[in-house]
Amino acid sequence: MSMFKQTFILVLASTSLLFGFTSLAQTQGAGLGTPVSESLLENFDQVVEPDGSGLPEGNGTALEGKLVYDEKCQVCHGAEGEGTSGNTRIVGGDINSSGNPIRTVGSFWPWASTIFDYVRRAMPTDAPKSLTDTEVYQVTAYVLYMNGIINQSTVLNSDSLAAIEMPNRDGFIDRSQVQ
Amino acid sequence: MSNPINSLEKVAGNGLINRRHLLGLGLGGAGLAITGSVMAADNALPFEIPSWSRQPGPGASGYGTRSSHTEYMQRLAGNPNPVYPGGGSSRSPLQYLQGTITPNSLHFERHHAGIPAIDPAGHKLVINGLVRQPLSFNYEDLLRYPMVSKIHFLECSGNSGSLFGANASDGTAQSLHGLVSCAEWTGIPLSTLLDEAGVLPEASWIAAVGADAASMGRSIPINKALDDVLLALYQNGEPVRPGQGYPMRLFVPGWEGNLNVKWLTQIKLTRGPSNFRDETSKYSDTMADRSSLQFTFPMGCKSLITSPSGQMALERRGLYQVTGIAWSGAGSIRRVEVSADGGQSWADALIESQQSDRALTRFRIPWQWQGGSTVLQSRATDDKGNVQPTRDALIATNGLINRYHYHGIQSWSVVDSGEVRNVYV
């Protein structure tokens, strides 16, 4: 590791302190980060946000998604999404039922974008990231359909997915600034 | 000879003794060994030179191991679940640890898809989204940045969750509360790297994503990210271990463990929270009225007695050292009180702390057990005035649906036989 580089960084850090702002270091590219363009990150950046940003091209329906689900999901999540063990139930429940309500995608999740985001990055647990974007759209549609949120022929794409109103949408309260 | 224990100053019900006796003042010959009864000298054998003093042992080695006599100290891991490969947690053996730093090999773990085998030469940390210039950093270059070291606890927000259950389960300090640990974390202030990329004014959150098979993601408000969050590269002096995020993890002081994304590979600056699965479906707090509080980040003001604790047994009446740990996500621990009569009377414990801001703090107090049944408790207060609530008070505000952020007072019953059990009072 080069001693020179280390000194270089320290000097720049203290220079920006002297001037009382950090933008000097930024504009002069002081650090060791390599500039990259967002287009290079297209496959790498998988973050999907509630407003639909980050959703890729493509689309799918629940009719198509049933095939994906039966082949790649139902072994763990059950034929109807009823689950096979803890945490694998993804259909049904009622947030207002008495006792401890069953919380699933349908009864609990505030945003549809989270289904796409999570399934694409983490499912199936034994082969994560093995689905194509089209398959993720299709199976997301099927999970929504099983929960009675869309029809079997609704075409999910980046616009229609972001427009879905989840049943428990208003059930969440952001406490991030109330610490 | 008069029993020196009788001269110890009692400060609360059922045998709690002034903590100043721990400072070597006025304990006389009693000593604070785990019991005060004097062993009869009659059946003592003459002292011999032990066998290990008669032959040389192995020499120095490249990597240390612990004594074979301490191998009982193990993390407690759940059973593997075939539908959830690599998922699950392991808990620190709190009842066997002393001081405040958790050895790296015993630090608790929580994985969502197992531990990735990362070659640091192929690992990238990308900062993108609402920045002037998206950047990619490699490991070798990150090691060249100025670093800081901080001692902080890390606690899973699901820690102690079973205490919300209707019946007090017969557990140990480890099985009930072992999802908390404390270490010295060394790394780069995240603000250094964010400044280098140039945070745009409209960026108000970051999304942090790991390189594990679950690509676990969490959102953190930008004000916290620019405040005291670290890109941690070292833990207790050595590179962060694979189970803790090698080659790098996020460290978010005082806030729930799940935010401290391991194997960190991406920071994306965003307008709002990304609403990942692990901040909607999980790690959100559903209240009795069925509303769900989201982004409830700081961990509560909390303590527990680690010795004596669940499933231990006091062997005989006499003088004991009651000790435990306290911590708060809001600041440092100011006070720990201990009760030996189920909360009727309290005495201040001695607090040992070098650096206690959002770190584990060790407390101790002498206690004379006269036999009979009793309940031991501890109650922490932090420097912001937060006081650890009773279990009942916590449930009154939290309800019984949410299982995160349990920080109620722990009650250990001691029965006449000396057995210690988890109880609700």
Side-chain angles (χ1 to χ4, degrees), chain A residues 26 31-34 36 38 45 87 95 97 99 103 108-109 111 114 121 125 128-129 171-173 175 179, chain B residues 83 128-129 132-136 144-146 195-196 213 215 266 268 275 281-282 286 290 292 294-295 297-298:
Chain A
Q26 291 155 13
L32 298 172
T34 307
V36 288
E38 291 283 354
D45 176 356
N87 268 350
I95 189 72
S97 60
R103 284 165 285 176
F108 191 52
W109 290 27
W111 303 104
T114 309
R121 64 179 65 240
T125 51
K129 304 177 186 73
F172 281 74
I173 300 170
R175 299 277 291 182
Q179 305 292 350
Chain B
V83 303
N128 74 322
R132 237 186 315 270
Q133 174 60 62
L135 294 173
S136 163
R144 298 185 170 113
Y145 279 78
D195 284 349
E196 192 177 316
S215 298
Q266 184 187 11
K268 183 173 191 177
N275 281 277
S281 172
K282 305 294 167 190
T286 303
R290 303 305 196 270
S292 297
Q294 210 180 0
F295 313 120
F297 298 131

Side-chain angles (χ1 to χ4, degrees), chain A residues 1-2 5-6 9-10 13 22-23 26-27 30-38 41 44-50 54 76 84-88 95-101 103 108-111 113-114 117-118 121-122 125-126 128-129 168 171-177 179, chain B residues 81 83-85 124 126 128-129 132-137 140-141 143-146 195-196 198 205 207 209 212-217 221 223 255 265-266 268 270-282 284 286 289-298 400-401 403:
Chain A
M1 177 189 308
S2 111
K5 256 183 166 176
Q6 194 156 13
I9 283 289
L10 288 169
T22 48
S23 57
Q26 291 155 13
T27 50
L32 298 172
T34 307
V36 288
S37 67
E38 291 283 354
L41 298 173
F44 174 88
D45 176 356
Q46 301 210 315
V47 178
V48 174
E49 295 174 67
C76 297
T84 56
S85 65
N87 268 350
T88 56
I95 189 72
N96 290 312
S97 60
S98 62
N100 203 344
R103 284 165 285 176
F108 191 52
W109 290 27
W111 303 104
S113 60
T114 309
D117 178 278
Y118 183 65
R121 64 179 65 240
T125 51
D126 53 358
K129 304 177 186 73
N168 193 38
F172 281 74
I173 300 170
D174 178 348
R175 299 277 291 182
S176 60
Q177 301 303 326
Q179 305 292 350
Chain B
N81 178 350
V83 303
Y84 192 24
K124 298 249 180 287
V126 166
N128 74 322
R132 237 186 315 270
Q133 174 60 62
L135 294 173
S136 163
F137 297 87
E140 282 296 316
D141 286 343
L143 293 178
R144 298 185 170 113
Y145 279 78
D195 284 349
E196 192 177 316
W205 287 72
V209 178
D212 58 330
S215 298
M216 230 280 305
N223 45 355
W255 285 16
T265 191
Q266 184 187 11
K268 183 173 191 177
T270 56
R271 281 192 174 75
S274 298
N275 281 277
F276 291 112
R277 181 261 189 176
D278 287 299
E279 56 201 20
T280 50
S281 172
K282 305 294 167 190
S284 61
T286 303
D289 69 358
R290 303 305 196 270
S291 67
S292 297
L293 306 183
Q294 210 180 0
F295 313 120
T296 52
F297 298 131
L400 279 172
I401 299 172
R403 294 287 169 114

Side-chain angles (χ1 to χ4, degrees), chain A residues 144-176:
Chain A
L144 287 164
Y145 167 72
M146 284 193 290
N147 279 290
I149 296 168
I150 61 172
N151 296 321
Q152 55 178 356
S153 50
T154 307
V155 178
L156 273 198
N157 57 31
S158 58
D159 291 332
S160 59
L161 180 58
I164 290 171
E165 280 263 343
M166 297 294 278
N168 193 38
R169 165 70 202 93
D170 296 328
F172 281 74
I173 300 170
D174 178 348
R175 299 277 291 182
S176 60

